[in-house]
Amino acid sequence: MALRGKYKLKCPEKYIGDPTKVIYRSRWELKTFQFLEKNPNVFKWASEEIKIPYVDYKGKLHRYYPDLYFELRNGKKYLVEIKPASQCRPPTTANHRRFIKEQIRFKINTAKWEAAKDFCARSGLEWRIWTEKDLNKTLGLKI
């Protein structure tokens, strides 16, 4: 069962958005929120506060809320999605039903990420997808 819950901010002055509505949807997100709050180089941050329109593989318009936005004290700004590495590449499973489901998820994710890249390019943000490998290595999180 996935870990989910309401995140209680320890440094609400760093949060952009409604501090009573910060939700983590995985242990990875929880650990990342804790890292952002403790990191003195992080000036401001938010979770699922930016809305990006995107068109899915069927041509239908949707809204995408990337997991994180944060600003560093040096002025750099990032938009980040946290995903398992297995969801960042085309599926290869032999199970037909599972393959179809994973293929649809991959197509939806790809459409979201292309819209996010475009949004970031227009907004002066850096786009990142953090997997468990990034969280373990770059952020020093043990997940």
Side-chain angles (χ1 to χ4, degrees):
M1 186 160 122
L3 179 70
R4 297 171 181 251
K6 199 172 233 187
Y7 184 72
K8 184 166 170 52
L9 294 165
K10 293 171 186 44
C11 300
E13 66 280 0
K14 287 177 86 169
Y15 193 76
I16 302 168
D18 187 341
T20 66
K21 296 183 179 177
V22 184
I23 305 294
Y24 58 90
R25 301 178 197 289
S26 69
R27 183 176 312 279
W28 297 347
E29 287 185 14
L30 173 62
K31 296 291 186 184
T32 303
F33 293 0
Q34 292 167 342
F35 174 85
L36 293 171
E37 280 207 290
K38 290 177 188 173
N39 190 321
N41 293 319
V42 175
F43 177 60
K44 295 280 184 188
W45 72 281
S47 174
E48 296 185 0
E49 295 283 351
I50 293 178
K51 175 175 60 174
I52 301 173
Y54 77 97
V55 178
D56 72 9
Y57 67 99
K58 292 180 179 179
K60 188 174 177 188
L61 185 63
H62 295 274
R63 290 179 300 244
Y64 168 44
Y65 297 87
D67 293 327
L68 296 172
Y69 166 82
F70 65 94
E71 302 173 13
L72 298 179
R73 295 209 179 272
N74 67 8
K76 287 191 176 185
K77 299 175 182 178
Y78 296 86
L79 196 59
V80 176
E81 181 67 23
I82 298 173
K83 278 285 186 241
S86 64
Q87 292 183 20
C88 297
R89 58 185 176 264
T92 57
T93 184
N95 179 316
H96 183 69
R97 265 187 209 206
R98 187 169 171 192
F99 177 81
I100 291 171
K101 187 176 181 180
E102 289 177 7
Q103 185 68 27
I104 290 169
R105 177 173 42 206
F106 181 73
K107 285 181 179 182
I108 291 169
N109 284 341
T110 300
K112 289 177 180 180
W113 300 339
E114 287 302 316
K117 282 184 211 175
D118 181 58
F119 176 87
C120 287
R122 290 183 284 110
S123 305
L125 306 175
E126 292 193 36
W127 168 248
R128 298 283 188 269
I129 299 171
W130 286 348
T131 66
E132 59 275 20
K133 185 176 181 180
D134 300 304
L135 295 172
N136 288 334
K137 181 181 171 189
T138 307
L139 300 180
L141 299 178
K142 300 299 179 215
I143 298 174

